[in-house]
Amino acid sequence: MTTLPAPSPDQPPQDGRPGAEGGAHPDGAGQASHSAPAFSPLYQQIKTLILRSLQAGEWKPGDMIPSEFDLAARFRVSQGTVRKAIDELATDNLLVRRQGKGTYVATHAEQHTQYRFLRLLPDTGDLAGQGPAERRIIECRRLRASADVARQLALRTGDPILQVKRVLAFAGSPAILEDLWLPGGPFKGLTLETLSEDKGPMYALFETQFGVRMVRATEKIKAVSADADAAQLLGMPEGHPLLSVERLAYTYNDVPMELRRGLYRTESRHYRNELS
């Protein structure tokens, strides 16, 4: 059990960290004393410790995490403090509460999260109504990172990476052309055959076979016109307007793990985002 001594269940020690020694759980939570923000609210510190356990793989996508009671005992805080930390992690889509069952590590394999990062919706109906995306992998090759790709993926120029090109279609109609760049180390063993044979979401494949979970992303959006390659693969005339979406996806601890540049057809679809 972790020893996080505190004057009272909800009161942090004088230095603002859970535990007089800043010690964390020896079986996965990691050391908290130097990297946890000083004087941050106690529930935020517990959230950080839970995140470290997720990052270390103590609980994998789809696993049920310990109960609030057990986590409160582990970290020597109140259940209310743990509940507030879990509430924030659930809001961040890192954990999922299931009524009467417990709290689970979110996974991209779940139906309601499969399209979490896909914001292209039909003008009529919804994404689920048009059926699953039909994927065609054009290529998957290993190469050396250009300066631009290396910078965005926090690599060095020339480091090994993978480039994947694919087309997504709905109801037989090509809708999205994507180029993806992945760091070579974490995705060693990813091949064209692996991608072509897998029928689930790509991010679910990354979780199950490579232990990489994408937890958040940033995007840049602008209007472009189709070049010859995009026009051929998307079945449109060259120069046709497209929506360009560049996404940088991160795993735990804000480590960039995927650069994705997509070209979206929007004649009968629109890009939708919710701001809060």
Side-chain angles (χ1 to χ4, degrees), residues 110-121:
E110 294 186 36
Q111 186 66 36
H112 71 282
T113 60
Q114 286 185 8
Y115 298 122
R116 177 184 165 196
F117 293 128
L118 181 57
R119 302 293 182 173
L120 189 69
L121 301 178

Side-chain angles (χ1 to χ4, degrees), residues 46-214:
I46 301 306
K47 177 182 176 182
T48 297
L49 294 177
I50 295 174
L51 273 172
R52 286 177 182 162
S53 288
L54 292 171
Q55 182 181 5
E58 181 180 351
W59 312 305
K60 301 186 183 304
D63 285 354
M64 182 172 69
I65 70 170
S67 68
E68 291 177 1
F69 176 83
D70 290 337
L71 289 174
R74 169 174 172 162
F75 298 129
R76 297 196 65 178
V77 297
S78 74
Q79 285 183 247
T81 298
V82 171
R83 185 176 302 116
K84 194 167 183 179
I86 290 176
D87 284 344
E88 285 209 354
L89 290 167
T91 300
D92 294 340
N93 295 302
L94 299 181
L95 297 177
V96 177
R97 291 189 182 276
R98 294 178 183 164
Q99 187 66 34
K101 295 183 178 180
T103 302
Y104 293 76
V105 182
T107 169
H108 290 282
E110 294 186 36
Q111 186 66 36
H112 71 282
T113 60
Q114 286 185 8
Y115 298 122
R116 177 184 165 196
F117 293 128
L118 181 57
R119 302 293 182 173
L120 189 69
L121 301 178
D123 290 339
T124 57
D126 56 26
L127 196 59
Q130 62 184 358
E134 304 155 19
R135 292 165 299 174
R136 179 162 68 98
I137 307 298
I138 308 299
E139 65 180 3
C140 175
R141 58 179 181 147
R142 292 188 173 269
L143 64 158
R144 299 291 177 177
S146 67
D148 173 54
V149 171
R151 176 180 55 81
Q152 300 210 57
L153 290 177
L155 302 172
R156 293 174 298 182
T157 301
D159 278 354
I161 60 170
L162 283 88
Q163 181 180 7
V164 177
K165 183 186 289 287
R166 69 174 186 171
V167 173
L168 296 181
F170 295 96
S173 176
I176 305 172
L177 170 63
E178 292 183 318
D179 279 293
L180 294 75
W181 292 267
L182 305 165
F187 292 97
K188 185 177 181 180
L190 182 64
T191 64
L192 177 64
E193 291 72 25
T194 301
L195 290 169
S196 299
E197 291 171 3
D198 187 80
K199 303 305 179 186
M202 183 177 285
Y203 282 175
L205 173 69
F206 292 170
E207 287 179 354
T208 57
Q209 293 202 23
F210 301 96
V212 176
R213 171 164 165 72
M214 305 300 183

